[in-house]
Amino acid sequence: MRAPDWLTARPVAHRGLHDISRGIVENMPGAVRAAIAGNFSIEVDIQLSADGEAMVHHDHALGRLTEASGDVISKTAAELKAVKFKDTDERMMSLPDLCTMVAGRVPLVIEVKSHFGGDRKLVKRMAEVLASYDGPAVGMSFDPDQVLALRELLPSRPRGIVAQRTYEDEYWAKLTQEQRDGMLYLRHGFQTQPHFVAFKVDHLPAPAPWIARNLFGCALLGWTVRTPEQRTRVGRYADQMIFEGFVP
């Protein structure tokens, strides 16, 4: 269940090589271009549009970084492609747009965002897009069902679990206790059979990722590395970092 060597060969730019001081916003085309120029792998997030397209955006709702508002899933791909990032002339990309832009020059690490409702349309669309993409790319998700969907619908691509020690903070309050418990300790790993684990760097070291790495041969990425202390920690306990806020 080991990931390919190219996944850990170079640092991974979190949501692209963004730098708001230079007008480069996360997950926008400029962040992708900057990561390619730096020869970094690129981590991006994808969300489902109302008409079934995979769109490159982290938040479920528009507005934090964009001029528009409303839920991503409530708008069509055409409507979302018209959405401008704040203080820029750039607009949201679809996954096909991203693949065309990257064209295999650096690896893609694609996080499948989930509403935890069992809908697999996003992974299905991702599989359709990557079927004709020759470049290196992997998929990953916090949601065990989406990782299982990656295994079933996209078996030719490496897949990973995004995880942390606990899920009791406010961000996860929307989930049931059963859903949160289901993500603990990578316990769904025997079903989802990941090739790698992306683990919260501040929660390293931890037993579950240690076992995945040392007993089952999974590659281990630490996210999101922003400080020198975190960089030291990820170097000690993981195979590679997902970083932002500096250039390695």
Side-chain angles (χ1 to χ4, degrees):
M1 292 195 292
R2 185 73 183 181
D5 290 342
W6 51 254
L7 180 62
T8 56
R10 66 187 101 185
V12 183
H14 186 236
R15 306 179 192 169
L17 195 62
H18 56 92
D19 182 351
I20 197 66
S21 68
R22 297 170 53 209
I24 303 175
V25 181
E26 66 184 51
N27 276 323
M28 83 174 195
V32 172
R33 288 190 292 267
I36 294 170
N39 198 33
F40 297 115
S41 298
I42 303 170
E43 187 268 353
V44 296
D45 308 284
I46 57 172
Q47 300 267 0
L48 188 69
S49 70
D51 52 349
E53 184 58 278
M55 302 300 298
V56 179
H57 195 68
H58 175 269
D59 300 355
H60 291 308
L62 301 170
R64 178 174 67 92
L65 300 170
T66 61
E67 294 181 352
S69 61
D71 292 335
V72 172
I73 200 168
S74 70
K75 300 182 183 298
T76 66
E79 290 171 330
L80 292 167
K81 285 187 178 187
V83 170
K84 288 178 61 176
F85 289 93
K86 290 178 179 178
D87 301 318
T88 79
D89 291 325
E90 295 207 292
R91 290 168 167 78
M92 192 184 301
M93 295 179 289
S94 67
L95 183 58
D97 295 333
L98 174 69
C99 290
T100 298
M101 178 180 294
V102 176
R105 286 176 286 177
V106 297
L108 290 173
V109 179
I110 303 167
E111 181 177 344
V112 178
K113 305 305 287 187
S114 175
H115 294 273
F116 288 82
D119 189 338
R120 296 185 172 187
K121 294 187 185 74
L122 182 55
V123 173
K124 182 178 180 182
R125 178 56 182 154
M126 177 179 170
E128 292 171 350
V129 174
L130 293 186
S132 58
Y133 184 68
D134 294 331
V138 300
M140 63 182 187
S141 184
F142 274 103
D143 185 345
D145 187 66
Q146 299 302 315
V147 183
L148 184 59
L150 288 168
R151 179 188 173 192
E152 294 174 353
L153 299 175
L154 200 56
S156 64
R157 296 282 183 174
R159 60 190 167 273
I161 297 172
V162 191
Q164 53 193 61
R165 271 182 180 265
T166 63
Y167 299 91
E168 297 304 321
D169 54 84
E170 183 179 354
Y171 181 84
W172 300 104
K174 62 185 178 182
L175 302 186
T176 66
Q177 190 64 51
E178 181 180 4
Q179 287 175 315
R180 294 195 296 271
D181 289 347
M183 295 189 291
L184 287 172
Y185 316 123
L186 309 180
R187 55 173 43 131
H188 59 86
F190 287 105
Q191 183 181 25
T192 54
Q193 296 185 16
H195 301 90
F196 67 96
V197 175
F199 208 80
K200 189 171 184 176
V201 65
D202 289 338
H203 291 184
L204 291 173
W210 187 94
I211 291 170
R213 184 190 189 199
N214 293 284
L215 299 186
F216 293 97
C218 291
L220 180 58
L221 307 177
W223 61 268
T224 300
V225 173
R226 300 180 176 92
T227 68
E229 186 278 332
Q230 290 173 328
R231 190 168 184 178
T232 298
R233 183 182 293 268
V234 83
R236 182 176 299 164
Y237 299 114
D239 299 301
Q240 190 51 270
M241 64 177 170
I242 301 173
F243 74 94
E244 73 174 20
F246 67 98
V247 178

